Amino acid sequence: MTDTIDFGSDFFFGSATSSFQIEGRSDAIPQGESIWDTFCAEPGRIADGSNGLVACDHVHRWAEDVQLMSDLNLDKYRFSVAWPKVIPTGTGAASAPGLDFYDRLVDELLGKGIEPMLTLYHWDLPQALDDVGGWLNRDTAYAFADYAQVVLDRLGDRVSTWTTFNEPYVSAGLGYVTGEHAPGHRNLREGLTAAHHILLAHGLGMERIRATVPDSDAGIVLNFTPVEPASDAPADVAVAAARQGWENEWYAGPIFHGAYPEATVEALGWDQSEVQDGDLALISAPVDVLGVNFYTRSVVSSVGQQIPFGTPRTEMGWEIHAPSLKRLLLWLHETYTPAKIVITENGCAMPDTERVDGVVDDQDRIDYLRNHLTMVHEAREAGAPIAGYMVWSLMDNFEWALGYEKRFGIVEIEADTLRRIPKASARWFAELAKTGVLPG
Ligand code: FCB
């Protein structure tokens, strides 16, 4: 037994989801196609051949889901708005039923004492915008700002925390460089362009948030995978440095320091031709909150990624290494000095095969969460301004290219019935959220 940890009353606990992964569709809410609908329809793109048409059917079960969060004592809920539900073709007139859906959701959350934290973009770009270049087209950044305005005008009076983007690294890197995600391109040069246009959209979105809801907390959610060389060999160290620049500094650098990481710009041979005067000033306007998504670290060598022998992994194949989270948080605090850090995603896909009385007995997930929360606490004690922790995810959902086979939820979604059944980890997390104390 270790000591108990008291997070104190000024620390919050919540859960996170995203629109495409949970919502599904409703006939009452006409929506446009997104790049993920298109991607899912292409044979071979999604491991189990699934799609987001039903997902967790949150679009119909949202009130039940809010009640669930209330039963789990959550202080905050991080969700994303689906751009294709609000402006079906990406630009032009807003759709009333789409906006009404989020309006009702926000009211329901507030009514149950759960504070909404809204992400404007979690990867579901309207297909109509991809048809004219998607994130390769600078105009998409301006379309994003107009879409943000529509959401701000409707929800700005009630939502107090706004983030522009979720994980631009993944949108640009997996969407345009490796092709694992929508829109499935494989071109490094395109990835650099997409990354810059997404950052520009962040800057333009921040301007709208500031102008419309000046008292809100505003920022962005970035993912980080601390990189370590497998050995001191110069070739390994060089690979680690290059990966560090692209995976951990490419977005934080422009946002907090107004510049892309120079060594990586050179290593990638990027001419920065898409960067226009004023872009970096816009991108580096101060943020109130940095959302940090953390899952694992990368140990790299000149012959590829290495997971040390015998290391525990999740169902994603990701190494479980909680100390890296503490190291990351302290590095972020020292390097970028964000005013406020929120852990906006942390969690794990586990086998979920053990059951007690029909309930998933996921002690491995509880251990993962406990160990990572301990590191969050230590980083906080060491001075990092961490305000709260949100588990990924509230419920099992559509895990992108891996479909429904990887389950990250603390709540099970029963196949066929879509019944919500809290796992052992949900009960454990509910107790933590209620008391603020991590049991020893
Ligand atoms: C993050 C995503 C989130 C989820 C988790 C497992 O990269 O933001 O939607 O897929 O990974």
Side-chain angles (χ1 to χ4, degrees), residues 16 18 21 78 119-123 135 163-175 181-182 194-195 198-199 202 219-225 247 251 255 290-296 318 344-346 392 399-400 408:
S18 86
Q21 293 177 279
R78 170 175 178 247
T119 306
L120 285 161
Y121 185 88
H122 198 128
W123 308 352
W135 290 112
T163 58
T164 52
F165 282 81
N166 176 72
E167 302 190 352
Y169 167 82
V170 174
S171 292
L174 276 66
H181 279 191
I198 292 172
L199 278 169
H202 159 75
I220 188 166
V221 173
L222 303 178
N223 61 302
F224 296 94
T225 306
E247 291 181 21
Y251 301 89
I255 291 167
L290 171 64
V292 173
N293 293 355
F294 173 86
Y295 290 94
T296 188
W318 296 344
T344 34
E345 287 183 27
N346 177 237
W392 184 273
E399 180 44 38
W400 307 111
F408 275 89

Side-chain angles (χ1 to χ4, degrees), residues 5 7 11-13 322 325 329 343 346 365-380 386 388-391 428-429 432-433 438-439:
I5 293 174
F7 279 88
F11 191 86
F12 71 81
F13 293 92
L325 176 54
L329 291 166
I343 311 300
N346 177 237
R365 182 173 286 108
I366 293 175
D367 287 346
Y368 180 103
L369 298 178
R370 181 205 310 279
N371 292 336
H372 285 77
L373 276 156
T374 303
M375 293 299 127
V376 170
H377 177 72
E378 286 187 14
R380 199 165 167 242
I386 309 162
Y389 175 97
M390 312 186 108
V391 63
W428 178 87
F429 198 72
L432 170 66
L438 191 64

Side-chain angles (χ1 to χ4, degrees), residues 75-79 105-107 109-110 114-118 158-162 390:
D75 303 309
K76 288 204 196 207
Y77 174 49
R78 170 175 178 247
F79 67 97
L105 175 65
V106 164
D107 278 349
L109 287 164
L110 293 172
I114 302 168
E115 209 184 299
M117 176 173 189
L118 189 152
R158 282 157 292 153
V159 173
S160 52
T161 310
W162 292 78
M390 312 186 108

